[in-house]
Amino acid sequence: MATEENYYGKHGDPRKFDPKFKGPIGKRHCTDILCCIIFVVVILGYIALGVVAWIHGDPRKIIYPTDSYGQFCGQKGTPNENKTILMYFNILRCASPVVLINLQCPTTQLCVSKCPDRFATYLDMQANRFNNSYLEYYKQFCKPGFDKPQKSIAEVLRDEDCPSMIIPSRPFLQRCFPDFSTRNGVLTVANKTEFKDGIGQMRSATDLRAAANGINNVLDARSVGMKIFEDYASSWYWILIALFIAMVVSLLFLILLRFTAGVFFWIFIIGVIGVVGYGIWHCFWEYDSLKGVPGADLTIYDIGLQTDFRVYLQLRQTWLAFMIILCIVEVVIILMLIFLRNRIRIAIALLQEGSRAIGYIMSSLFYPIITFILIAICISYWAVTAVFMATSGEPVYKVMANTTLCKYADITCIPETFNTTNVTKLCPGAQCTFAFYGGESFYHQYILVFQLCNVFIFLWLVNFSIALGQCTLAGAFASYYWAFKKPADIPACPLFSSFGRAIRYHTGSLALGSLILALVQFIRIILEYLDHKLKASQNSFAKFLLCCLKCCFWCLEKFIKFMNRNTYIMIAIYGKNFCTSAKDAFFLLMRNVIRVAVLDKVTDFLLFLGKVFVTGSVGVLAFFFFTRKIPVLTDEAPALNYYWVPLLTVILGSYLIAHGFFSVYAMCVDTLFLCFCEDLERNNGSSSKPYYMSPNLHRILGKKEISSKKAKS
């Protein structure tokens, strides 16, 4: 008894609580107020950042193409309102579609209402200038204001007032791309293998091969995308039905765990013992059958290292080693079952109790929807803010020269005054064209810092949403456990009450735990970025150090998630601040470390079986349905281009649904476990201090343990 007093003298006796304690404390106070204030200020700052990004940013800069004047194609209220497609004057200067879409192609870019549908050159237009229809058709692809050619042909082509040539094209991603096709394996443009360029020379369609290869791949992707969209349009109804079935199956599995948790676990254990036993017998059989075979008595050391593993299988020593290893594994499993049998029974009983608790608090199964909505809001706000910040800035114009010898090439210019400078004289044909969006203000100079803040606050808010859900569920299930007469003593609306307590009193504590986890995750993101940058590096020490840091922070993140989860349970029950609850949870877990390990593995195994069962059963049913292999429903199955599109959607959706249901169950089991440990330390089973645990758990503990606790009290 003295040893026990010394122990609790250091860590605080968990049994010295208010004897009137009957579950989550109702009279509590706000915790971690400073962190709560900081959290609210950060949220307000995050909103302000979003407003500033919204003021300065314009997502149309990403969505819509921009001409050489910095104007959007198709922008309302501008001359380009009806010109929604971007055309490149000389597409031969562009290396590939990637350059056309993401970078600036060194040629004039003009918004047009439609793409050219024929071959033509400016020289041909001059030769046919008295043909009004020909002239009017070609002029629509010239710069605005170009009427009748007042300049010489050389000046027009130098200043790129009109394209030197036009090529039959078709719009894609709101840009005019050459109309490529193949005929008998030969690349063609509008069924022609040759065409005239702007100076009258014959060019081959293969001159555009680099662009053609990229465009064909993109067009193929577009075709696949359209087919996938068609499949979703024709099968969405059946996908929703399959996901509803997955929800029903998940719910039934959780309810049946009350009766089948022990059966599933012991069948698995017996199966493992049987498989290992068969392995021992097979190893002995191989060992005995190789007796007297020439060379079979050689040792592994004698034959050395061999690339063909089958060589080792011809040695008796190999099978003897396998048999010894399997015997050790078998003995370890049997000994663990003998010495941990009561703890395994307690773990199974807690799983069954968790199923019973969810049966009384069915609303808890749908709480993940609230968490999903909160996380979806966080993701949406982060993505929108990131896009608006990425598109912040004013148009920046730079000198674009036709020759590489121009010393003014690529310097910033002002379109309104460009023609009055000496640049046009020193670099004939140079133009002041739109380059990108930028700025010199404080906001634009520190845009990268703001993007990093956006990522960090996003991680903080997502972790807070998850923490709020865990604390809410923990409070609801703790109300169930500490109800002496179940379900009569369970308070009304336990989930709603727990949610109110978490928001009203413990926002600061949840924010503090989320902040610690977000810091670790943010450091992991930075390490991943550094690892990506150092892949091409030859510095082995830096790679090794980075690998060690990544491993350490991965382990740290897992540990913090585990501790936060149990800390939130203690906060939900006792209403203390984060650090005190973390300390209490840690010492409580350490005093029951073996039970923690057993319960964790048993729970993980059963929930893994549940996820496999739900996902597999619904996935198999969807496979047979969408492949028309169910005779009764053959006529109902939709016609699909790719049956795997709805099938993968159903499988992924089923897994997410099962994960959502089972995450509630896992939180329920963890909460009941901590309450169970507190119950054991607080009470002794006497009439004055009765256990709150279920009769099943009470029976598993046995008379000896109860009697010993009574004697100590």
Side-chain angles (χ1 to χ4, degrees):
M1 191 68 184
T3 304
E4 193 173 80
E5 289 176 352
N6 291 336
Y7 176 83
Y8 288 126
K10 295 180 180 179
H11 303 291
D13 190 345
R15 297 169 294 185
K16 293 180 180 179
F17 293 105
D18 183 2
K20 297 180 180 179
F21 176 80
K22 294 183 179 180
I25 296 174
K27 295 181 180 180
R28 53 181 72 196
H29 60 276
C30 295
T31 56
D32 298 301
I33 299 175
L34 178 61
C35 192
C36 180
I37 295 173
I38 294 174
F39 183 62
V40 173
V41 171
V42 168
I43 291 178
L44 294 176
Y46 195 33
I47 295 174
L49 177 62
V51 172
V52 173
W54 181 78
I55 293 173
H56 290 276
D58 192 346
R60 293 178 301 175
K61 298 171 185 177
I62 293 178
I63 300 173
Y64 299 107
T66 308
D67 64 11
S68 296
Y69 303 98
Q71 296 179 338
F72 300 121
C73 295
Q75 182 178 5
K76 293 183 178 181
T78 68
N80 292 335
E81 183 173 355
N82 298 319
K83 299 177 180 180
T84 59
I85 308 171
L86 189 70
M87 190 192 79
Y88 299 86
F89 270 27
N90 189 353
I91 200 169
L92 291 173
R93 294 182 182 175
C94 307
S96 70
V98 176
V99 174
L100 301 183
I101 297 171
N102 296 327
L103 303 175
Q104 288 297 313
C105 182
T107 187
T108 298
Q109 300 161 32
L110 189 71
C111 296
V112 295
S113 57
K114 62 180 181 179
C115 296
D117 58 6
R118 67 191 72 170
F119 287 104
T121 66
Y122 186 75
L123 297 177
D124 293 337
M125 188 198 76
Q126 285 291 86
N128 295 275
R129 61 182 178 273
F130 300 108
N131 186 338
N132 288 333
S133 62
Y134 193 100
L135 182 64
E136 291 299 324
Y137 179 80
Y138 201 93
K139 277 169 46 181
Q140 66 180 319
F141 303 111
C142 297
K143 288 181 179 179
F146 182 83
D147 188 12
K148 293 183 179 179
Q150 303 296 328
K151 300 179 181 179
S152 66
I153 296 176
E155 290 175 336
V156 171
L157 297 180
R158 181 197 64 191
D159 297 337
E160 289 196 344
D161 292 324
C162 280
S164 61
M165 63 178 178
I166 57 176
I167 300 172
S169 307
R170 54 184 173 181
F172 178 57
L173 297 177
Q174 292 186 276
R175 290 158 174 85
C176 291
F177 288 114
D179 186 11
F180 288 104
S181 61
T182 56
R183 187 174 61 185
N184 297 326
V186 179
L187 183 66
T188 64
V189 178
N191 295 323
K192 289 188 177 182
T193 57
E194 294 182 334
F195 59 92
K196 284 184 181 181
D197 65 7
I199 57 176
Q201 294 182 352
M202 297 302 296
R203 303 291 292 267
S204 172
T206 55
D207 292 337
L208 297 170
R209 184 178 298 275
N213 291 336
I215 290 173
N216 285 335
N217 292 335
V218 173
L219 293 177
D220 290 342
R222 181 181 64 170
S223 176
V224 172
M226 289 299 296
K227 291 180 179 179
I228 291 175
F229 178 79
E230 292 173 358
D231 288 343
Y232 276 124
S234 60
S235 62
W236 67 270
Y237 178 77
W238 296 103
I239 292 175
L240 291 180
I241 291 177
L243 296 181
F244 178 77
I245 294 174
M247 184 178 69
V248 173
V249 173
S250 300
L251 182 59
L252 290 176
F253 185 86
L254 290 181
I255 294 174
L256 290 176
L257 275 181
R258 184 187 308 183
F259 312 102
T260 59
V263 176
F264 282 153
F265 180 79
W266 290 114
I267 288 177
F268 173 76
I269 291 297
I270 294 173
V272 170
I273 293 175
V275 169
V276 175
Y278 170 78
I280 295 172
W281 175 85
H282 183 78
C283 290
F284 175 78
W285 181 82
E286 291 284 355
Y287 174 79
D288 187 66
S289 62
L290 289 174
K291 186 177 182 179
V293 176
D297 291 327
L298 293 174
T299 64
I300 297 176
Y301 179 80
D302 292 335
I303 64 173
L305 183 63
Q306 300 292 328
T307 57
D308 188 358
F309 185 75
R310 290 175 296 181
V311 174
Y312 297 104
L313 299 181
Q314 307 301 320
L315 303 178
R316 299 185 73 202
Q317 189 182 66
T318 301
W319 293 105
L320 179 62
F322 285 161
M323 184 171 62
I324 294 173
I325 293 173
L326 290 177
C327 286
I328 294 174
V329 171
E330 188 87 332
V331 171
V332 169
I333 292 175
I334 293 174
L335 289 177
M336 288 178 63
L337 290 176
I338 293 174
F339 290 104
L340 299 178
R341 62 188 184 278
N342 276 339
R343 289 182 172 86
I344 293 174
R345 292 174 63 197
I346 291 173
I348 294 173
L350 283 171
L351 290 169
Q352 295 171 334
E353 191 68 14
S355 178
R356 189 176 292 106
I358 290 176
Y360 288 126
I361 312 176
M362 290 293 292
S363 58
S364 62
L365 289 174
F366 301 97
Y367 185 86
I369 297 176
I370 297 177
T371 302
F372 173 79
I373 293 173
L374 292 176
I375 293 177
I377 292 173
C378 294
I379 293 175
S380 301
Y381 189 85
W382 163 78
V384 170
T385 303
V387 169
F388 271 90
M389 283 197 291
T391 57
S392 298
E394 300 298 327
V396 175
Y397 299 87
K398 290 193 174 183
V399 176
M400 184 182 66
N402 292 329
T403 62
T404 57
L405 300 178
C406 179
K407 65 178 181 179
Y408 295 103
D410 218 29
I411 67 170
T412 305
C413 59
I414 302 175
E416 291 77 10
T417 61
F418 180 72
N419 291 330
T420 62
T421 63
N422 293 328
V423 177
T424 55
K425 297 178 181 179
L426 299 175
C427 303
Q431 300 181 56
C432 183
T433 60
F434 168 77
F436 56 86
Y437 291 93
E440 300 297 331
S441 66
F442 174 83
Y443 170 74
H444 295 102
Q445 289 178 348
Y446 292 93
I447 197 74
L448 178 60
V449 176
F450 291 136
Q451 286 283 23
L452 293 176
C453 292
N454 186 30
V455 173
F456 176 74
I457 299 174
F458 162 72
L459 294 174
W460 193 359
L461 292 176
V462 168
N463 287 320
F464 178 82
S465 301
I466 296 173
L468 178 61
Q470 292 176 340
C471 190
T472 299
L473 292 172
F477 293 126
S479 299
Y480 164 83
Y481 185 93
W482 295 106
F484 190 73
K485 295 180 180 179
K486 303 176 179 65
D489 291 345
I490 299 177
C493 303
L495 188 69
F496 181 79
S497 300
S498 179
F499 180 80
R501 290 194 298 268
I503 288 290
R504 181 178 178 182
Y505 298 109
H506 306 303
T507 297
S509 299
L510 301 180
L512 179 56
S514 305
L515 174 63
I516 297 171
L517 183 57
L519 283 171
V520 176
Q521 291 173 336
F522 188 70
I523 294 173
R524 287 195 63 201
I525 292 175
I526 295 175
L527 292 176
E528 290 293 340
Y529 173 78
L530 294 176
D531 183 49
H532 176 72
K533 289 296 183 182
L534 291 175
K535 279 186 177 179
S537 174
Q538 302 299 322
N539 192 332
S540 300
F541 176 75
K543 290 183 177 179
F544 172 76
L545 180 61
L546 195 59
C547 183
C548 292
L549 288 174
K550 287 171 61 179
C551 180
C552 291
F553 277 95
W554 180 84
C555 295
L556 180 60
E557 181 183 358
K558 294 296 181 184
F559 175 75
I560 291 176
K561 283 184 176 180
F562 174 77
M563 282 306 306
N564 278 3
R565 185 183 181 91
N566 290 280
T567 300
Y568 299 145
I569 296 174
M570 299 299 283
I571 290 174
I573 298 174
Y574 297 111
K576 298 180 180 179
N577 62 43
F578 180 83
C579 294
T580 302
S581 299
K583 182 192 70 173
D584 293 342
F586 178 78
F587 287 121
L588 182 62
L589 293 172
M590 289 299 99
R591 293 194 294 271
N592 299 272
V593 63
I594 297 179
R595 286 174 178 157
V596 171
V598 173
L599 178 68
D600 184 59
K601 296 308 175 186
V602 173
T603 304
D604 288 346
F605 166 70
L606 289 178
L607 295 186
F608 171 76
L609 281 184
K611 292 177 183 179
V612 170
F613 173 72
V614 173
T615 305
S617 58
V618 177
V620 169
L621 181 63
F623 172 78
F624 283 112
F625 174 76
F626 289 119
T627 55
R628 298 174 179 267
K629 293 183 178 180
I630 302 178
V632 180
L633 300 175
T634 301
D635 296 334
E636 300 293 334
L640 301 170
N641 297 298
Y642 308 110
Y643 72 86
W644 51 264
V645 171
L647 178 61
L648 290 181
T649 305
V650 168
I651 291 175
L652 179 61
S654 299
Y655 176 81
L656 292 177
I657 290 173
H659 178 74
F661 276 93
F662 296 160
S663 64
V664 174
Y665 183 76
M667 194 68 201
C668 176
V669 173
D670 289 345
T671 303
L672 296 181
F673 172 73
L674 287 187
C675 293
F676 170 74
C677 295
E678 286 283 302
D679 195 9
L680 285 178
E681 295 184 346
R682 178 185 297 280
N683 304 306
N684 57 17
S686 63
S687 58
S688 59
K689 293 183 178 180
Y691 286 126
Y692 284 79
M693 66 186 70
S694 66
N696 189 22
L697 283 169
H698 194 280
R699 285 193 299 270
I700 293 173
L701 285 177
K703 296 181 179 180
K704 292 182 179 180
E705 186 169 347
I706 294 174
S707 300
S708 62
K709 291 179 70 67
K710 286 182 180 179
K712 290 178 181 179
S713 63

